[in-house]
Amino acid sequence: MLEYNLYDNFNPNIYSFATHAEASNAPKLPTPKARGVIMNYELWQTGYKYTSSGTVSTDVEVGDVIEILHPEEFLVPYSSTQVFNKKLSMFYLITSKDESNKVVLQNYVWAMIEGLEIPTTALKQTNQQLIVNMMSPAVTSLVAHGYTTNPDKINSNVIKWNRKSETDTMTNIAKDLFRVLRIQPSVYYQGMMIPRPDGTLEAVDNNIFLALCGREWDRVEKSIRIDFKQNVAIEHEVITERSNYNYLNAYVKKADGTYNSYGQQWTINDKNEVVDMASYRGDGHELPKQRLVKSVFYDEAPDAGEIKSQITKDSTVINLYFNQHSLMKLVLNDLVEVWYEDKNYHGYIADRCFTEVEGGITTDRLLFVEGLKL
């Protein structure tokens, strides 16, 4: 079991401004209306791909915000020299419940930006400006005082947005942004000094911040080898679908105006390079897993650009799910090189799932997502 605090929904109309004239313009959160425990839970820390669930011990309403209190501490870097320990709190919006008090939970950040659209002209901003726009009360229902991240690293990764429509949903934009930056948002409480009537200062944890960082200010890639003992599951996720074909059979006219009896065949490898199958001598591991062939007839032999226009490779990433490594613990937003079955993948830990199993032991399962360039 894990303890939780239950809140009324954070309303930005009420909580977007400070109640103390001396304080900064920080959103003040309400005091919890109930304290309880959650059982039989499956809690995804960021909710990048999945919602969470569990059975709660108090009455709740759809639309309430629940803060799961985990005993683990995590590091929040504020600069290259300042790192602070925080208790791991996970904030969710309750989206449904049943008669047995089992609830479905959506990560607070994703819940508050769901359904919103912004003009794609906003994509001309820097990555940091996009994040600020995502947190603006003028745009979303997300109550947050600010965020913690390394702006140099955030803005140094230039994203080539491919949006043909005039608008897009905030969720789609945020998913692409965080996927390329290899960072997923989590929420934590930020302490604030409030003046007492006697002139002294009181530390109050009532400001909600977004953590867009790993355990270090300048993240360093960690290398780890995993195997079947960690209950590994692998998933190929198509990010951008470009063509229904991945092999090209090209028949080229001869001088007498007829076609060769056999075509020339090309495909696209994992590096998005054109591969001539007539001269290929590899073992096939970097080629498409199945052949979806397109036949084309040319007057002259096609060049690499023409071939790519016919069978441009989909943008795909590998998702690896595996149990926490007991000797090398990984946390959210760690950059990781994973070795699995004689292949190595470069990416990051995009989510952690905490589950309660028999005996009250919490299983910590990780979601590793391969890096992707847009």
Side-chain angles (χ1 to χ4, degrees):
M1 295 185 294
L2 290 175
E3 288 189 298
Y4 65 79
N5 288 325
L6 186 69
Y7 301 88
D8 288 321
N9 201 326
F10 301 158
N11 185 340
N13 294 328
I14 299 173
Y15 300 111
S16 59
F17 296 100
T19 56
H20 297 271
E22 302 88 348
S24 64
N25 185 24
K28 292 294 174 289
L29 302 184
T31 55
K33 64 180 182 179
R35 187 77 175 264
V37 293
I38 186 168
M39 302 158 284
N40 302 319
Y41 52 78
E42 182 178 270
L43 300 171
W44 291 93
Q45 187 175 352
T46 70
Y48 165 65
K49 291 177 68 71
Y50 302 106
T51 54
S52 301
S53 62
T55 301
V56 294
S57 63
T58 63
D59 289 333
V60 300
E61 298 293 336
V62 171
D64 285 346
V65 172
I66 189 169
E67 175 196 11
I68 306 296
L69 305 173
H70 196 283
E72 179 180 286
E73 289 191 345
F74 71 102
L75 300 178
V76 178
Y78 284 74
S79 68
S80 57
T81 58
Q82 287 183 302
V83 180
F84 296 94
N85 278 335
K86 296 287 183 182
K87 286 291 186 181
L88 179 58
S89 292
M90 295 176 283
F91 286 81
Y92 303 94
L93 180 75
I94 297 175
T95 59
S96 71
K97 70 168 186 174
D98 62 18
E99 296 82 0
S100 63
N101 253 18
K102 183 173 182 179
V103 294
V104 175
L105 309 172
Q106 187 176 8
N107 177 274
Y108 173 67
V109 175
W110 295 109
M112 293 299 101
I113 67 173
E114 189 173 74
L116 298 167
E117 290 198 30
I118 63 172
T120 50
T121 51
L123 301 178
K124 297 177 182 179
Q125 302 175 97
T126 65
N127 298 336
Q128 191 173 7
Q129 289 170 332
L130 270 176
I131 293 169
V132 172
N133 196 28
M134 186 185 77
M135 295 168 52
S136 169
V139 178
T140 72
S141 298
L142 179 64
V143 172
H145 173 252
Y147 63 96
T148 302
T149 192
N150 185 338
D152 293 335
K153 298 295 183 182
I154 290 290
N155 286 326
S156 64
N157 198 332
V158 179
I159 299 176
K160 297 179 181 178
W161 297 95
N162 183 22
R163 294 292 198 276
K164 295 181 174 63
S165 60
E166 292 185 354
T167 66
D168 199 358
T169 66
M170 182 69 77
T171 299
N172 286 340
I173 291 170
K175 281 185 175 181
D176 282 346
L177 174 65
F178 296 138
R179 185 187 292 121
V180 174
L181 296 178
R182 303 186 188 188
I183 283 177
Q184 292 298 325
S186 60
V187 174
Y188 67 96
Y189 266 138
Q190 169 65 44
M192 183 174 181
M193 305 306 291
I194 301 295
R196 293 192 183 101
D198 62 2
T200 60
L201 295 177
E202 176 187 4
V204 179
D205 274 348
N206 62 350
N207 296 318
I208 205 168
F209 268 63
L210 267 62
L212 295 167
C213 53
R215 69 177 93 179
E216 314 104 346
W217 187 249
D218 292 308
R219 293 184 295 165
V220 178
E221 188 176 70
K222 302 161 182 65
S223 184
I224 187 172
R225 185 181 296 276
I226 60 175
D227 58 30
F228 69 95
K229 296 178 183 178
Q230 290 164 261
N231 192 22
V232 182
I234 188 168
E235 175 190 57
H236 293 77
E237 180 183 7
V238 178
I239 302 300
T240 305
E241 189 173 347
R242 295 190 176 92
S243 173
N244 293 325
Y245 305 95
N246 54 31
Y247 278 81
L248 182 70
N249 274 347
Y251 294 88
V252 181
K253 275 187 179 179
K254 298 184 293 187
D256 61 3
T258 63
Y259 291 100
N260 285 319
S261 300
Y262 297 95
Q264 296 173 260
Q265 192 170 81
W266 292 275
T267 189
I268 303 290
N269 64 16
D270 286 344
K271 297 180 180 178
N272 205 30
E273 300 167 334
V274 173
V275 176
D276 187 344
M277 295 305 296
S279 58
Y280 178 71
R281 296 294 180 269
D283 61 8
H285 77 273
E286 79 279 23
L287 302 183
K289 302 298 181 291
Q290 60 178 339
R291 294 194 177 197
L292 301 172
V293 181
K294 182 177 185 179
S295 296
V296 181
F297 298 85
Y298 290 104
D299 291 337
E300 297 179 355
D303 58 24
E306 290 175 298
I307 295 169
K308 273 194 173 184
S309 69
Q310 298 288 347
I311 55 170
T312 300
K313 183 179 175 61
D314 294 342
S315 292
T316 61
V317 296
I318 299 294
N319 298 324
L320 289 173
Y321 300 84
F322 56 93
N323 293 339
Q324 183 71 265
H325 198 292
S326 58
L327 299 179
M328 183 179 178
K329 191 168 186 178
L330 297 172
V331 298
L332 182 66
N333 291 332
D334 272 350
L335 294 178
V336 187
E337 178 189 27
V338 173
W339 290 87
Y340 176 59
E341 292 186 340
D342 297 326
K343 295 181 183 178
N344 71 317
Y345 307 93
H346 296 268
Y348 71 112
I349 303 300
D351 213 345
R352 294 172 67 190
C353 183
F354 303 97
T355 55
E356 186 178 33
V357 296
E358 188 176 351
I361 300 172
T362 298
T363 300
D364 185 357
R365 191 157 173 82
L366 306 175
L367 167 59
F368 164 89
V369 177
E370 189 180 22
L372 172 71
K373 295 287 186 182
L374 280 185

